Amino acid sequence: EIRKYMGALDGADPIGGADEIVQIDETLIGGKAVGKGRAFKGNKTYVMGMLETNGEIVTRIIPNVRRVTLWNEICQNVLPGSIIHTDELHSYKGIQLRGYRHQTCNHSQSEYVSPYGATVNTLEGFWNLLKRGINGTHIHVSQKHLPKYLGEFEYRWNMRAVPHLMLDRLMHSCSR
């Protein structure tokens, strides 16, 4: 219940804005399926993250990484005029038609920061924290409960500059 409350308390306001950089990436959460091979994704869940440089993160569970799905989430959660940094996933191509400036880094060429500064490294670091938190503490999280864990990790990330206020904010909001 506390995790669910953390997720509800953390704002859902759009991030970015004029000339603000927003890193966008997606990952798969879920364990290995014995005997299914490495390409099997039936037990995994797609999660999309949008991270404003030196700002907040927004995470969403998504059904797939198709263009329509990703663009819909971007348009709902990132303000037009933002500079979007992504990897070279084909689904992101053309997003500039929606009022964003789009820059990419090419991971397949071992490029993690492009010559013009595009990167998703900070967001990849968040994925690392999330996955280590799930695997190290909880071993496994079902798809049913994943939104609560995402809410907890999102709240912790967004409060990282003022960790001493995390509990106070939860308690103050709870008493209203």
Side-chain angles (χ1 to χ4, degrees), residues 91-160:
S91 297
Y92 293 119
K93 290 188 189 315
I95 190 67
Q96 64 273 11
L97 298 173
R98 297 290 175 99
Y100 303 100
R101 293 192 342 221
H102 184 210
Q103 300 173 347
T104 63
C105 55
N106 190 345
H107 288 172
S108 65
Q109 298 294 316
S110 296
E111 178 183 83
Y112 296 96
V113 179
S114 73
Y116 42 88
T119 184
V120 291
N121 286 347
T122 308
L123 188 48
E124 301 240 358
F126 175 81
W127 295 142
N128 190 1
L129 290 171
L130 173 67
K131 290 177 180 184
R132 279 188 298 151
I134 290 172
N135 293 335
T137 306
H138 310 291
I139 312 303
H140 171 75
V141 173
S142 70
Q143 288 180 342
K144 175 183 173 184
H145 296 290
L146 184 58
K148 292 183 259 188
Y149 286 87
L150 288 174
E152 174 193 356
F153 279 87
E154 192 175 308
Y155 178 81
R156 290 166 151 217
W157 179 273
N158 292 341
M159 294 291 293
R160 71 193 179 284

